[in-house]
Amino acid sequence: MEYANVLFEIRDGVGILTFNRPKALNALNVETLEELNDVLDRVREDDAVRVLILTGSGEKAFVAGADISEFPRMNALQAHRFAERGQEIFSKLEELPKPVIACVNGFALGGGCELAMSCDFIYASSLARFGQPEINLGLIPGFGGTQRLPRLIGRAKAKELCMTGEMIDAQQAMELGLAARVFPPEQLMEETLKVARLLASRSPVALRALKHAIDRGWDLDLRNGCSLEAESFGLCFSSQDMREGVAAFLEKRKPNFQGSLTR
Ligand code: CO8
């Protein structure tokens, strides 16, 4: 598939997807969402991509939301379908069996904030702004924001942000647990790449098991969550990576993880 709205490159095992509609502050139109979907399918299948970074082009925005200019021609049924399609793609992103880092270089609003929340963690530029401003349009979040935001920052704070539609800065986002770290704008991509490369050197099998245990365990009670963890822990023992990691430790050398499940 040719991409008109996103850029995708692979560097040292790290896939970098850049939303590339800077004139519309990288807003997500129908086409852009489908291109994201296509990249996710590629990343899922391609062993050469061990970590994915999402970012936005231009100085101003990560993603400023769904493309509002498409709203006037949608009826209720089409809006419902669009919201469901976005949610489906964001769930695919969330469930990608590889680490995904949102590199938030500017506005992450509405669908852009929902997109960032569907990644494993968020690194933000000190100039980034987060918010769910749909209320200003007479709307509510539609790509999972009413569900992911309360789970991340608590119900009352999420309601406050969604009801007022106000933006918060990167520092506030970090204090709330929305952003994991904040960097000066000129260091953001370099620092994100540094961590992405580190993750790319880890065992893909262990990273997959870790993500599965945390994400699938989230909605379970503690007992069932721990049971899921034990199963995932056991599964790691069937990997060549685990043999390699333990052997490297005992032999006092750096491990070389290949991501193979069989011995
Ligand atoms: N959609 C379409 N175009 C946009 C969007 C957007 N979300 N955001 C910005 N743009 C465009 C502007 O229209 C403008 O275009 P032009 O130059 O042609 O006039 C250009 O980007 C630059 O924007 P501004 O001139 O407004 O830049 P400012 O620096 O003055 O303001 C803001 C920046 C504050 C980010 C401002 O652009 C803004 O408020 N944008 C809208 C943010 C927003 O409301 N996002 C939520 C959208 S709704 C949503 O995401 C719901 C998701 C679920 C959808 C379910 C489907 C039905």
Side-chain angles (χ1 to χ4, degrees):
M1 181 179 188
E2 291 277 308
Y3 303 134
N5 305 285
V6 305
L7 307 170
F8 182 63
E9 58 172 317
I10 304 171
R11 276 194 242 162
D12 307 328
V14 178
I16 305 174
L17 184 158
T18 307
F19 292 93
N20 190 32
R21 302 182 70 216
K23 286 190 181 137
L25 302 189
N26 304 321
L28 300 172
N29 57 7
V30 173
E31 221 185 4
T32 308
L33 268 183
E34 293 307 325
E35 291 179 13
L36 166 65
N37 185 51
D38 191 78
V39 171
L40 294 177
D41 286 340
R42 274 175 67 180
V43 168
R44 194 185 170 89
E45 296 308 319
D46 188 350
D47 289 343
V49 185
R50 287 165 71 149
V51 179
L52 178 65
I53 293 175
L54 301 190
T55 194
S57 72
E59 304 287 298
K60 264 175 100 168
F62 172 65
V63 167
D67 191 324
I68 300 168
S69 69
E70 291 185 336
F71 290 3
R73 55 177 182 273
M74 282 184 200
N75 62 29
L77 187 62
Q78 289 164 326
H80 183 188
R81 281 205 196 117
F82 186 48
E84 280 189 332
R85 181 66 182 143
Q87 289 177 5
E88 193 176 277
I89 295 169
F90 286 14
S91 292
K92 184 185 281 190
L93 170 65
E94 190 172 55
E95 288 167 20
L96 203 70
K98 307 178 180 193
V100 185
I101 309 174
C103 178
V104 176
N105 54 309
F107 291 113
L109 302 175
C113 188
E114 292 166 307
L115 178 72
M117 287 190 287
S118 304
C119 299
D120 291 310
F121 51 87
I122 297 172
Y123 284 171
S125 144
S126 53
L127 297 179
R129 297 286 178 273
F130 296 82
Q132 297 290 161
E134 290 89 344
I135 199 77
N136 297 324
L137 304 168
L139 283 171
I140 68 168
F143 289 159
T146 63
Q147 305 308 305
R148 288 193 179 91
L149 191 61
R151 283 168 167 78
L152 270 170
I153 68 171
R155 217 152 50 125
K157 197 69 201 171
K159 282 182 185 167
E160 187 199 22
L161 279 182
C162 294
M163 287 179 178
T164 62
E166 278 172 10
M167 289 187 235
I168 54 170
D169 64 25
Q171 189 59 35
Q172 288 170 298
M174 191 167 71
E175 283 158 15
L176 286 170
L178 184 56
R181 288 166 74 179
V182 179
F183 298 100
E186 65 281 4
Q187 289 173 19
L188 174 67
M189 184 43 92
E190 189 191 323
E191 293 294 332
T192 306
L193 271 170
K194 217 185 272 176
V195 172
R197 285 196 197 102
L198 173 72
L199 300 187
S201 75
R202 302 293 199 213
S203 159
V205 177
L207 286 168
R208 181 187 183 129
L210 178 69
K211 194 165 164 167
H212 181 76
I214 292 179
D215 287 343
R216 288 298 161 96
W218 185 254
D219 293 322
L220 298 177
D221 58 79
L222 185 64
R223 194 156 173 261
N224 282 306
C226 285
S227 166
L228 177 73
E229 181 188 88
E231 280 167 21
S232 302
F233 182 81
L235 181 72
C236 292
F237 274 67
S238 68
S239 75
Q240 177 58 37
D241 279 353
M242 176 266 170
R243 304 287 146 197
E244 166 65 7
V246 172
F249 176 82
L250 296 174
E251 291 160 21
K252 302 190 186 308
R253 61 174 173 83
K254 272 185 84 172
N256 179 14
F257 294 120
Q258 299 293 329
S260 159
L261 254 187
T262 47
R263 282 192 212 172

